[in-house]
């Protein structure tokens, strides 16, 4: 490769910027692992999303249906997640008022 002094200066400045920020672009440190701050932000975002999901389920399911879904969640968490995702989608597309436990039958 050519040892162009201008190119070397640009590379040196870019490297200093990356090290000064504490990592490479995207909030990742030089090793490639997420920083503690970004991990905390992601955890907080996941927690907020889960709280919103639970709030919507509380609004659209009656108590018997919520109980049934919680029992399903104990045995088959992935199935309960699919059901709740389906309910959220349905709630978003159709303004569902209340779903009773008789409609929450899973075959």
């Amino acid at each position: 490769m050519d040892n162009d002094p201008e190119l070397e200066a640009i590379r040196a400045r870019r490297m200093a910027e990356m090290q000064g920020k504490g990592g490479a672009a995207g909030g990742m440190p030089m090793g490639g692992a997420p920083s503690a701050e970004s991990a905390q932000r992601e955890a907080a975002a996941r927690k907020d999303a889960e709280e919103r999901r639970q709030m919507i389920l509380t609004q659209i399911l009656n108590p018997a249906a919520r109980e049934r879904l919680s029992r399903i969640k104990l045995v088959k968490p992935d199935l309960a997640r699919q059901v709740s995702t389906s309910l959220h989608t349905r709630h978003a597309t159709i303004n569902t008022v209340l779903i009773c436990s008789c409609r929450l039958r899973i075959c």
Side-chain angles (χ1 to χ4, degrees):
M1 275 173 59
D2 273 315
N3 283 341
D4 185 12
E6 187 177 337
L7 183 58
E8 290 299 322
I10 292 171
R11 285 184 183 152
R13 273 190 307 224
R14 180 69 178 136
M15 184 62 77
E17 286 176 7
M18 288 175 26
Q19 290 174 347
K21 290 181 182 177
M28 297 287 229
M30 296 299 277
S35 68
E37 184 179 312
S38 65
Q40 287 176 344
R41 281 193 303 257
E42 288 176 15
R46 279 193 304 268
K47 183 180 176 185
D48 289 344
E50 187 59 33
E51 287 175 359
R52 282 193 305 270
R53 290 177 69 85
Q54 291 303 318
M55 185 177 69
I56 290 172
L57 286 176
T58 301
Q59 291 173 355
I60 64 174
L61 296 176
N62 69 11
R66 281 196 305 271
E67 181 182 342
R68 185 178 180 101
L69 186 60
S70 68
R71 281 186 273 135
I72 292 169
K73 190 175 184 178
L74 291 174
V75 179
K76 295 183 178 180
D78 55 331
L79 180 60
R81 184 76 171 173
Q82 288 176 349
V83 169
S84 67
T85 301
S86 174
L87 291 171
H88 287 294
T89 304
R90 184 174 180 180
H91 178 71
T93 56
I94 305 169
N95 206 359
T96 307
V97 176
L98 187 65
I99 298 174
C100 64
S101 62
C102 61
R103 286 187 170 172
L104 195 57
R105 301 234 182 244
I106 299 172
C107 303

